Coordinates of all heavy atoms in Angstrom, one line a residue:
E560 N 1.3 -30.8 -23.5 CA 0.8 -29.7 -24.4 C 0.5 -30.2 -25.8 O -0.5 -30.0 -26.4 CB 1.7 -28.5 -24.4 CG 1.1 -27.4 -25.2 CD -0.1 -26.7 -24.7 OE1 -0.1 -26.4 -23.5 OE2 -1.0 -26.4 -25.4
M561 N 1.5 -30.9 -26.4 CA 1.4 -31.4 -27.8 C 0.2 -32.3 -27.9 O -0.5 -32.2 -28.9 CB 2.7 -32.0 -28.3 CG 3.8 -31.0 -28.5 SD 5.3 -31.8 -29.1 CE 4.8 -32.7 -30.5
M562 N 0.0 -33.1 -26.9 CA -1.2 -34.0 -27.0 C -2.5 -33.3 -27.1 O -3.4 -33.6 -27.9 CB -1.2 -35.0 -25.8 CG -2.3 -36.0 -25.9 SD -2.0 -37.3 -24.6 CE -3.2 -36.7 -23.4
N563 N -2.6 -32.2 -26.3 CA -3.8 -31.3 -26.4 C -3.9 -30.7 -27.7 O -5.0 -30.6 -28.3 CB -3.7 -30.2 -25.3 CG -4.0 -30.8 -23.9 OD1 -4.5 -31.8 -23.7 ND2 -3.5 -30.0 -22.9
I564 N -2.8 -30.2 -28.3 CA -2.9 -29.5 -29.6 C -3.3 -30.5 -30.7 O -4.2 -30.2 -31.5 CB -1.5 -28.9 -29.9 CG1 -1.3 -27.7 -28.9 CG2 -1.5 -28.4 -31.4 CD1 0.2 -27.2 -29.0
I565 N -2.7 -31.7 -30.7 CA -2.9 -32.6 -31.8 C -4.4 -33.2 -31.6 O -5.0 -33.3 -32.6 CB -1.9 -33.8 -31.7 CG1 -0.5 -33.2 -32.1 CG2 -2.3 -34.9 -32.7 CD1 0.6 -34.2 -31.9
S566 N -4.8 -33.5 -30.4 CA -6.2 -34.0 -30.3 C -7.3 -33.0 -30.5 O -8.4 -33.4 -30.7 CB -6.3 -34.7 -28.9 OG -6.1 -33.8 -27.9
K567 N -6.9 -31.7 -30.4 CA -8.0 -30.7 -30.5 C -7.5 -29.6 -31.6 O -7.6 -28.4 -31.4 CB -8.2 -30.0 -29.2 CG -8.7 -30.9 -28.1 CD -8.8 -30.2 -26.8 CE -9.2 -31.2 -25.7 NZ -9.2 -30.6 -24.4
L568 N -7.0 -30.1 -32.7 CA -6.4 -29.2 -33.7 C -7.3 -28.1 -34.1 O -6.8 -26.9 -34.2 CB -6.0 -30.0 -35.0 CG -4.6 -30.6 -35.0 CD1 -4.4 -31.4 -36.3 CD2 -3.6 -29.5 -34.9
K569 N -8.6 -28.3 -34.3 CA -9.4 -27.2 -34.8 C -9.6 -26.1 -33.8 O -9.7 -25.0 -34.1 CB -10.8 -27.8 -35.2 CG -10.7 -28.6 -36.4 CD -12.1 -29.1 -36.9 CE -11.9 -30.0 -38.1 NZ -13.0 -30.1 -39.0
E570 N -9.5 -26.5 -32.5 CA -9.6 -25.5 -31.4 C -8.3 -24.6 -31.4 O -8.4 -23.5 -30.9 CB -9.8 -26.1 -30.1 CG -11.1 -26.8 -29.9 CD -11.3 -27.5 -28.6 OE1 -10.6 -27.0 -27.6 OE2 -12.0 -28.5 -28.5
Y571 N -7.2 -25.1 -31.8 CA -5.9 -24.4 -31.8 C -5.6 -23.7 -33.1 O -4.6 -23.0 -33.1 CB -4.8 -25.4 -31.4 CG -4.7 -25.7 -29.9 CD1 -5.4 -26.8 -29.4 CD2 -4.0 -24.9 -29.0 CE1 -5.4 -27.1 -28.1 CE2 -4.0 -25.2 -27.7 CZ -4.7 -26.3 -27.2 OH -4.6 -26.6 -25.9
D572 N -6.3 -24.0 -34.2 CA -6.0 -23.4 -35.5 C -6.0 -21.9 -35.4 O -6.8 -21.2 -34.8 CB -7.1 -23.8 -36.5 CG -6.7 -23.5 -37.9 OD1 -5.5 -23.3 -38.2 OD2 -7.6 -23.3 -38.7
Q573 N -4.9 -21.3 -35.9 CA -4.6 -19.9 -35.9 C -4.3 -19.3 -34.5 O -4.4 -18.0 -34.4 CB -5.8 -19.1 -36.6 CG -6.1 -19.6 -38.0 CD -4.9 -19.4 -38.9 OE1 -4.2 -18.4 -38.9 NE2 -4.6 -20.5 -39.7
K574 N -4.0 -20.1 -33.5 CA -3.7 -19.6 -32.2 C -2.2 -19.7 -31.9 O -1.5 -20.6 -32.4 CB -4.5 -20.3 -31.1 CG -6.0 -20.1 -31.2 CD -6.7 -20.7 -30.0 CE -8.2 -20.3 -30.1 NZ -9.0 -21.0 -29.2
E575 N -1.7 -18.8 -31.1 CA -0.3 -18.8 -30.7 C -0.1 -19.9 -29.6 O -0.9 -20.0 -28.7 CB 0.1 -17.5 -30.2 CG 0.2 -16.4 -31.2 CD 1.4 -16.5 -32.1 OE1 2.5 -16.8 -31.6 OE2 1.3 -16.2 -33.3
V576 N 0.9 -20.7 -29.8 CA 1.2 -21.7 -28.8 C 2.7 -21.8 -28.5 O 3.5 -21.2 -29.3 CB 0.8 -23.1 -29.2 CG1 -0.7 -23.2 -29.4 CG2 1.5 -23.6 -30.5
E577 N 3.1 -22.4 -27.4 CA 4.5 -22.7 -27.1 C 4.6 -24.2 -26.9 O 3.8 -24.7 -26.1 CB 4.9 -21.9 -25.9 CG 6.4 -22.3 -25.5 CD 6.8 -21.5 -24.3 OE1 7.3 -20.3 -24.5 OE2 6.7 -22.0 -23.1
I578 N 5.5 -24.9 -27.6 CA 5.7 -26.3 -27.4 C 7.1 -26.5 -27.0 O 8.0 -25.8 -27.4 CB 5.3 -27.1 -28.6 CG1 6.1 -26.8 -29.8 CG2 3.8 -27.0 -28.9 CD1 5.9 -27.7 -31.0
C579 N 7.3 -27.6 -26.2 CA 8.7 -28.0 -25.8 C 8.8 -29.4 -26.2 O 7.9 -30.2 -26.1 CB 8.9 -27.9 -24.3 SG 8.6 -26.2 -23.7
G580 N 10.0 -29.8 -26.8 CA 10.2 -31.2 -27.1 C 11.6 -31.4 -27.7 O 12.5 -30.6 -27.5
W581 N 11.7 -32.5 -28.4 CA 13.0 -32.9 -29.0 C 12.8 -32.9 -30.5 O 11.8 -33.4 -31.1 CB 13.4 -34.2 -28.5 CG 13.7 -34.2 -27.0 CD1 15.0 -33.9 -26.5 CD2 12.9 -34.4 -26.0 NE1 14.9 -33.9 -25.1 CE2 13.6 -34.2 -24.8 CE3 11.5 -34.7 -25.9 CZ2 13.0 -34.3 -23.5 CZ3 10.9 -34.9 -24.6 CH2 11.7 -34.7 -23.5
V582 N 13.9 -32.5 -31.2 CA 13.9 -32.6 -32.7 C 14.1 -34.0 -33.1 O 15.0 -34.7 -32.7 CB 15.1 -31.7 -33.2 CG1 15.2 -31.9 -34.7 CG2 15.0 -30.3 -32.8
K583 N 13.1 -34.5 -33.9 CA 13.2 -35.8 -34.5 C 13.8 -35.8 -35.9 O 14.3 -36.7 -36.4 CB 11.8 -36.4 -34.5 CG 11.2 -36.7 -33.1 CD 10.1 -37.6 -33.1 CE 10.4 -38.9 -33.7 NZ 10.4 -40.1 -32.9
S584 N 13.6 -34.6 -36.6 CA 14.2 -34.4 -37.9 C 14.2 -33.0 -38.2 O 13.4 -32.2 -37.7 CB 13.5 -35.2 -39.0 OG 12.3 -34.7 -39.3
N585 N 15.2 -32.6 -39.1 CA 15.3 -31.2 -39.5 C 15.7 -31.2 -41.0 O 16.8 -31.6 -41.4 CB 16.4 -30.5 -38.7 CG 16.5 -29.0 -39.0 OD1 15.7 -28.5 -39.8 ND2 17.4 -28.3 -38.3
R586 N 14.7 -30.8 -41.8 CA 15.0 -30.7 -43.3 C 14.9 -29.2 -43.7 O 13.9 -28.6 -43.4 CB 13.9 -31.5 -44.0 CG 13.8 -33.0 -43.7 CD 12.8 -33.7 -44.5 NE 11.6 -33.0 -44.8 CZ 10.5 -33.0 -44.0 NH1 10.5 -33.6 -42.9 NH2 9.4 -32.4 -44.4
G587 N 15.9 -28.8 -44.4 CA 15.9 -27.4 -44.7 C 16.5 -27.1 -46.0 O 17.1 -27.9 -46.7
S588 N 16.3 -25.8 -46.5 CA 16.9 -25.3 -47.7 C 17.5 -23.9 -47.3 O 17.5 -23.5 -46.1 CB 15.9 -25.2 -48.8 OG 14.9 -24.2 -48.5
K589 N 17.8 -23.1 -48.3 CA 18.4 -21.8 -48.0 C 17.4 -20.8 -47.5 O 17.7 -19.8 -46.9 CB 19.1 -21.2 -49.2 CG 20.3 -22.0 -49.6 CD 21.0 -21.4 -50.8 CE 22.2 -22.2 -51.2 NZ 22.9 -21.7 -52.4
K590 N 16.1 -21.0 -47.8 CA 15.0 -20.1 -47.4 C 14.0 -20.5 -46.4 O 13.4 -19.7 -45.7 CB 14.2 -19.7 -48.7 CG 15.1 -19.0 -49.7 CD 14.3 -18.5 -50.9 CE 15.2 -17.8 -51.9 NZ 14.5 -17.3 -53.0
F591 N 13.9 -21.8 -46.2 CA 12.9 -22.3 -45.2 C 13.3 -23.8 -44.8 O 14.1 -24.4 -45.5 CB 11.5 -22.3 -45.7 CG 11.2 -23.2 -46.9 CD1 10.7 -24.4 -46.7 CD2 11.5 -22.7 -48.2 CE1 10.5 -25.3 -47.7 CE2 11.2 -23.6 -49.2 CZ 10.7 -24.8 -49.0
G592 N 12.6 -24.3 -43.8 CA 12.9 -25.6 -43.4 C 11.7 -26.2 -42.5 O 10.8 -25.5 -42.2
F593 N 11.8 -27.4 -42.2 CA 10.8 -28.1 -41.4 C 11.5 -28.9 -40.2 O 12.4 -29.7 -40.5 CB 10.1 -29.2 -42.2 CG 9.4 -28.6 -43.5 CD1 10.1 -28.6 -44.7 CD2 8.2 -28.0 -43.4 CE1 9.5 -28.0 -45.8 CE2 7.6 -27.5 -44.5 CZ 8.3 -27.5 -45.7
L594 N 11.0 -28.6 -39.0 CA 11.4 -29.4 -37.8 C 10.3 -30.3 -37.5 O 9.1 -29.9 -37.5 CB 11.7 -28.5 -36.6 CG 12.9 -27.6 -36.6 CD1 12.8 -26.7 -35.4 CD2 14.1 -28.4 -36.7
V595 N 10.6 -31.5 -37.2 CA 9.6 -32.4 -36.6 C 9.9 -32.6 -35.1 O 11.0 -32.9 -34.8 CB 9.6 -33.8 -37.3 CG1 8.6 -34.8 -36.6 CG2 9.3 -33.6 -38.8
I596 N 8.9 -32.2 -34.3 CA 9.1 -32.1 -32.8 C 8.2 -33.1 -32.1 O 7.0 -33.2 -32.5 CB 8.8 -30.7 -32.3 CG1 9.5 -29.6 -33.1 CG2 9.0 -30.6 -30.8 CD1 11.0 -29.6 -32.9
N597 N 8.7 -33.8 -31.1 CA 7.9 -34.6 -30.3 C 8.3 -34.4 -28.8 O 9.5 -34.2 -28.5 CB 8.1 -36.1 -30.7 CG 7.0 -37.0 -30.1 OD1 6.7 -37.0 -28.9 ND2 6.4 -37.8 -31.0
D598 N 7.3 -34.4 -28.0 CA 7.6 -34.2 -26.5 C 7.3 -35.5 -25.7 O 7.5 -35.5 -24.5 CB 6.7 -33.1 -26.0 CG 5.3 -33.4 -25.9 OD1 4.8 -34.4 -26.3 OD2 4.5 -32.5 -25.3
G599 N 7.0 -36.6 -26.3 CA 6.9 -37.9 -25.6 C 5.5 -38.1 -25.0 O 5.2 -39.1 -24.5
T600 N 4.5 -37.1 -25.2 CA 3.2 -37.3 -24.6 C 2.2 -37.9 -25.6 O 1.1 -38.2 -25.2 CB 2.6 -35.9 -24.2 OG1 2.5 -35.1 -25.3 CG2 3.5 -35.3 -23.1
F601 N 2.6 -38.0 -26.9 CA 1.7 -38.4 -27.9 C 2.5 -39.1 -29.0 O 3.7 -38.8 -29.2 CB 0.9 -37.2 -28.5 CG -0.4 -37.6 -29.1 CD1 -1.4 -38.1 -28.4 CD2 -0.5 -37.4 -30.5 CE1 -2.6 -38.4 -29.0 CE2 -1.7 -37.8 -31.1 CZ -2.8 -38.3 -30.4
F602 N 1.9 -40.0 -29.7 CA 2.6 -40.7 -30.8 C 2.9 -39.8 -32.0 O 4.0 -40.0 -32.6 CB 1.8 -42.0 -31.3 CG 1.6 -43.0 -30.2 CD1 0.4 -43.2 -29.6 CD2 2.7 -43.7 -29.8 CE1 0.3 -44.2 -28.6 CE2 2.6 -44.7 -28.8 CZ 1.3 -44.9 -28.2
E603 N 2.0 -38.9 -32.3 CA 2.2 -38.0 -33.4 C 3.1 -36.8 -33.1 O 2.9 -36.2 -32.1 CB 0.8 -37.5 -33.9 CG -0.1 -38.6 -34.4 CD 0.4 -39.2 -35.7 OE1 0.9 -38.4 -36.6 OE2 0.3 -40.4 -35.9
P604 N 4.0 -36.5 -33.9 CA 4.8 -35.3 -33.7 C 4.1 -34.1 -34.3 O 3.1 -34.2 -35.0 CB 6.1 -35.6 -34.5 CG 5.7 -36.5 -35.6 CD 4.5 -37.3 -35.1
I605 N 4.7 -32.9 -34.1 CA 4.2 -31.7 -34.7 C 5.3 -31.2 -35.7 O 6.5 -31.2 -35.3 CB 3.9 -30.6 -33.7 CG1 2.6 -31.0 -32.9 CG2 3.7 -29.2 -34.3 CD1 2.2 -30.0 -31.9
Q606 N 4.9 -30.8 -36.9 CA 5.8 -30.2 -37.8 C 5.8 -28.7 -37.6 O 4.8 -28.1 -37.6 CB 5.4 -30.5 -39.2 CG 6.3 -29.9 -40.3 CD 6.0 -30.4 -41.7 OE1 6.5 -31.4 -42.1 NE2 5.1 -29.7 -42.3
V607 N 7.0 -28.2 -37.5 CA 7.3 -26.7 -37.4 C 7.9 -26.2 -38.7 O 9.0 -26.8 -39.1 CB 8.2 -26.4 -36.2 CG1 8.5 -25.0 -36.1 CG2 7.5 -26.9 -34.9
V608 N 7.3 -25.2 -39.3 CA 7.9 -24.6 -40.5 C 8.7 -23.3 -40.0 O 8.1 -22.5 -39.3 CB 6.8 -24.2 -41.5 CG1 7.5 -23.6 -42.7 CG2 6.0 -25.4 -41.9
Y609 N 9.9 -23.2 -40.4 CA 10.7 -22.0 -40.1 C 11.2 -21.4 -41.4 O 11.3 -22.1 -42.4 CB 11.8 -22.3 -39.1 CG 12.8 -23.3 -39.6 CD1 14.0 -22.9 -40.3 CD2 12.7 -24.7 -39.4 CE1 14.9 -23.8 -40.7 CE2 13.6 -25.6 -39.8 CZ 14.8 -25.2 -40.4 OH 15.7 -26.1 -40.9
D610 N 11.5 -20.1 -41.4 CA 11.9 -19.4 -42.7 C 13.0 -18.4 -42.4 O 13.3 -18.1 -41.2 CB 10.8 -18.8 -43.4 CG 10.1 -17.7 -42.7 OD1 10.8 -16.9 -42.0 OD2 8.9 -17.5 -42.9
Q611 N 13.6 -17.9 -43.4 CA 14.8 -17.0 -43.3 C 14.4 -15.7 -42.7 O 15.3 -14.9 -42.4 CB 15.4 -16.8 -44.7 CG 14.5 -16.1 -45.7 CD 15.2 -16.0 -47.1 OE1 16.3 -16.5 -47.3 NE2 14.5 -15.4 -48.0
E612 N 13.1 -15.4 -42.6 CA 12.7 -14.1 -41.9 C 13.0 -14.1 -40.4 O 13.0 -13.1 -39.8 CB 11.3 -13.8 -42.2 CG 10.9 -13.7 -43.6 CD 11.6 -12.6 -44.3 OE1 11.7 -11.5 -43.8 OE2 12.1 -12.8 -45.5
M613 N 13.2 -15.3 -39.9 CA 13.5 -15.4 -38.4 C 14.9 -15.0 -38.1 O 15.8 -15.3 -38.8 CB 13.3 -16.9 -38.0 CG 11.9 -17.4 -38.2 SD 11.7 -19.2 -37.9 CE 12.6 -19.5 -36.4
D614 N 15.1 -14.3 -37.0 CA 16.4 -13.8 -36.5 C 17.3 -15.0 -36.3 O 18.5 -14.8 -36.5 CB 16.3 -13.0 -35.2 CG 15.5 -11.7 -35.4 OD1 15.5 -11.2 -36.6 OD2 15.0 -11.2 -34.4
N615 N 16.8 -16.1 -35.8 CA 17.7 -17.3 -35.5 C 17.6 -18.4 -36.6 O 17.9 -19.5 -36.3 CB 17.4 -17.8 -34.1 CG 15.9 -18.3 -34.0 OD1 15.1 -18.1 -34.9 ND2 15.6 -19.0 -32.9
F616 N 17.3 -18.0 -37.8 CA 17.2 -19.0 -38.9 C 18.5 -19.9 -39.0 O 18.4 -21.1 -39.1 CB 16.9 -18.3 -40.2 CG 16.9 -19.2 -41.4 CD1 15.8 -20.0 -41.6 CD2 18.0 -19.4 -42.2 CE1 15.7 -20.9 -42.7 CE2 18.0 -20.3 -43.3 CZ 16.8 -21.0 -43.6
D617 N 19.6 -19.3 -39.0 CA 20.9 -20.0 -39.2 C 21.1 -21.1 -38.1 O 21.5 -22.2 -38.3 CB 22.1 -19.1 -39.2 CG 22.2 -18.3 -40.5 OD1 21.6 -18.8 -41.5 OD2 22.8 -17.2 -40.5
T618 N 20.7 -20.7 -36.8 CA 20.8 -21.6 -35.7 C 19.8 -22.7 -35.8 O 20.2 -23.9 -35.6 CB 20.6 -20.8 -34.4 OG1 21.6 -19.8 -34.3 CG2 20.7 -21.7 -33.2
V619 N 18.6 -22.4 -36.1 CA 17.5 -23.4 -36.2 C 17.8 -24.4 -37.4 O 17.7 -25.6 -37.2 CB 16.2 -22.7 -36.4 CG1 15.1 -23.8 -36.7 CG2 15.8 -21.9 -35.2
S620 N 18.3 -23.9 -38.5 CA 18.6 -24.8 -39.6 C 19.7 -25.8 -39.3 O 19.8 -26.8 -40.0 CB 19.0 -23.9 -40.9 OG 20.2 -23.2 -40.7
K621 N 20.5 -25.6 -38.3 CA 21.6 -26.5 -37.9 C 21.3 -27.4 -36.7 O 22.2 -28.1 -36.2 CB 22.9 -25.6 -37.6 CG 23.4 -24.9 -38.9 CD 24.5 -24.0 -38.5 CE 24.9 -23.2 -39.8 NZ 25.8 -22.1 -39.4
L622 N 20.0 -27.3 -36.2 CA 19.7 -28.1 -35.0 C 19.8 -29.6 -35.4 O 19.3 -30.1 -36.5 CB 18.3 -27.8 -34.6 CG 18.1 -26.5 -33.9 CD1 16.6 -26.2 -33.6 CD2 19.0 -26.3 -32.7
N623 N 20.4 -30.4 -34.5 CA 20.5 -31.8 -34.7 C 19.4 -32.6 -34.1 O 18.7 -32.1 -33.2 CB 21.8 -32.3 -34.1 CG 23.0 -31.8 -34.8 OD1 23.1 -31.6 -36.0 ND2 24.1 -31.4 -34.0
V624 N 19.2 -33.8 -34.6 CA 18.2 -34.8 -34.0 C 18.6 -34.9 -32.5 O 19.7 -35.1 -32.1 CB 18.2 -36.1 -34.7 CG1 17.4 -37.2 -34.0 CG2 17.8 -35.9 -36.2
G625 N 17.5 -34.9 -31.7 CA 17.7 -35.0 -30.2 C 17.9 -33.7 -29.5 O 17.8 -33.8 -28.2
T626 N 18.0 -32.6 -30.2 CA 18.1 -31.3 -29.5 C 16.8 -31.0 -28.8 O 15.8 -31.1 -29.4 CB 18.5 -30.2 -30.5 OG1 19.7 -30.6 -31.2 CG2 18.7 -28.9 -29.9
A627 N 16.9 -30.5 -27.6 CA 15.7 -30.0 -26.9 C 15.4 -28.6 -27.3 O 16.4 -27.8 -27.4 CB 15.9 -30.1 -25.4
V628 N 14.2 -28.3 -27.6 CA 13.8 -27.0 -28.1 C 12.5 -26.5 -27.4 O 11.7 -27.3 -27.0 CB 13.6 -27.0 -29.6 CG1 14.9 -27.2 -30.4 CG2 12.5 -28.0 -30.1
I629 N 12.4 -25.2 -27.4 CA 11.1 -24.5 -27.1 C 10.7 -23.7 -28.3 O 11.5 -22.9 -28.8 CB 11.3 -23.6 -25.9 CG1 11.7 -24.4 -24.6 CG2 10.0 -22.8 -25.6 CD1 12.1 -23.5 -23.4
V630 N 9.5 -24.0 -28.8 CA 9.1 -23.3 -30.1 C 7.8 -22.5 -29.8 O 6.9 -23.0 -29.2 CB 8.8 -24.4 -31.2 CG1 8.3 -23.7 -32.4 CG2 10.0 -25.2 -31.4
N631 N 7.8 -21.3 -30.2 CA 6.7 -20.4 -30.2 C 6.2 -20.1 -31.6 O 7.0 -19.8 -32.4 CB 7.0 -19.1 -29.5 CG 7.3 -19.2 -28.0 OD1 6.4 -19.5 -27.2 ND2 8.6 -19.2 -27.7
G632 N 4.9 -20.2 -31.8 CA 4.4 -20.0 -33.2 C 2.9 -20.1 -33.2 O 2.2 -20.3 -32.2
T633 N 2.4 -20.0 -34.5 CA 1.0 -20.1 -34.7 C 0.6 -21.4 -35.3 O 1.3 -21.9 -36.3 CB 0.6 -19.0 -35.7 OG1 1.0 -17.7 -35.2 CG2 -0.9 -19.0 -36.0
V634 N -0.4 -22.1 -34.8 CA -0.8 -23.4 -35.3 C -1.6 -23.1 -36.6 O -2.5 -22.3 -36.6 CB -1.8 -24.1 -34.3 CG1 -2.3 -25.4 -34.9 CG2 -1.0 -24.4 -33.0
I635 N -1.2 -23.8 -37.7 CA -2.0 -23.7 -38.9 C -2.3 -25.1 -39.3 O -1.4 -25.9 -39.6 CB -1.1 -23.0 -40.0 CG1 -0.8 -21.6 -39.6 CG2 -1.9 -23.0 -41.3 CD1 0.2 -20.9 -40.5
V636 N -3.6 -25.4 -39.3 CA -4.1 -26.7 -39.7 C -4.1 -26.9 -41.2 O -4.6 -26.0 -41.9 CB -5.5 -27.0 -39.1 CG1 -6.0 -28.3 -39.5 CG2 -5.5 -26.9 -37.6
T637 N -3.4 -27.9 -41.7 CA -3.4 -28.2 -43.1 C -4.2 -29.4 -43.4 O -4.3 -30.3 -42.6 CB -1.9 -28.4 -43.6 OG1 -1.3 -29.4 -42.8 CG2 -1.1 -27.1 -43.4
P638 N -4.8 -29.5 -44.6 CA -5.6 -30.7 -45.0 C -4.8 -31.9 -44.9 O -3.6 -31.9 -45.3 CB -6.0 -30.4 -46.4 CG -5.9 -28.9 -46.6 CD -4.8 -28.5 -45.7
D639 N -5.4 -33.0 -44.4 CA -4.7 -34.3 -44.4 C -3.4 -34.3 -43.6 O -2.6 -35.2 -43.8 CB -4.5 -34.8 -45.8 CG -5.7 -34.9 -46.6 OD1 -6.8 -35.2 -46.0 OD2 -5.6 -34.6 -47.8
A640 N -3.3 -33.4 -42.6 CA -2.0 -33.4 -41.8 C -2.3 -32.9 -40.4 O -3.3 -32.2 -40.2 CB -1.0 -32.5 -42.5

């Protein structure tokens, strides 16, 4: 799935998706954070932004590298990324 999303970003922009993969990194603060997820189908990972409005924010902010996750969210294409 990630390979399809990354290779066809414009088609997925603003659409709801579900991805499954492993946490490659987790950087966070008290209000928001960034997960880098890869599923092994493509060289490029997907960055997931999470924030304190989420019910499971505390759990997500503590995820370790290598943790398997299922992420549901909206694809937002950003310039140069």
Side-chain angles (χ1 to χ4, degrees):
E560 180 71 43
M561 286 180 56
M562 187 168 99
N563 288 337
I564 293 169
I565 293 170
S566 63
K567 300 175 184 175
L568 268 178
K569 292 185 185 204
E570 292 178 28
Y571 282 93
D572 192 23
Q573 304 301 316
K574 292 188 179 171
E575 290 285 322
V576 298
E577 177 177 276
I578 61 170
C579 303
W581 293 272
V582 175
K583 293 195 59 114
S584 70
N585 187 0
R586 301 182 322 271
S588 68
K589 292 182 181 180
K590 296 184 179 185
F591 66 93
F593 304 93
L594 289 176
V595 175
I596 308 291
N597 196 308
D598 70 354
T600 63
F601 202 68
F602 296 110
E603 295 293 321
I605 287 182
Q606 178 174 269
V607 175
V608 180
Y609 60 92
D610 65 33
Q611 66 184 2
E612 301 298 316
M613 297 170 48
D614 293 338
N615 61 349
F616 176 79
D617 289 336
T618 301
V619 174
S620 65
K621 294 174 185 164
L622 292 175
N623 294 321
V624 171
T626 302
V628 294
I629 298 171
V630 178
N631 292 286
T633 305
V634 174
I635 299 174
V636 176
T637 55
D639 302 324

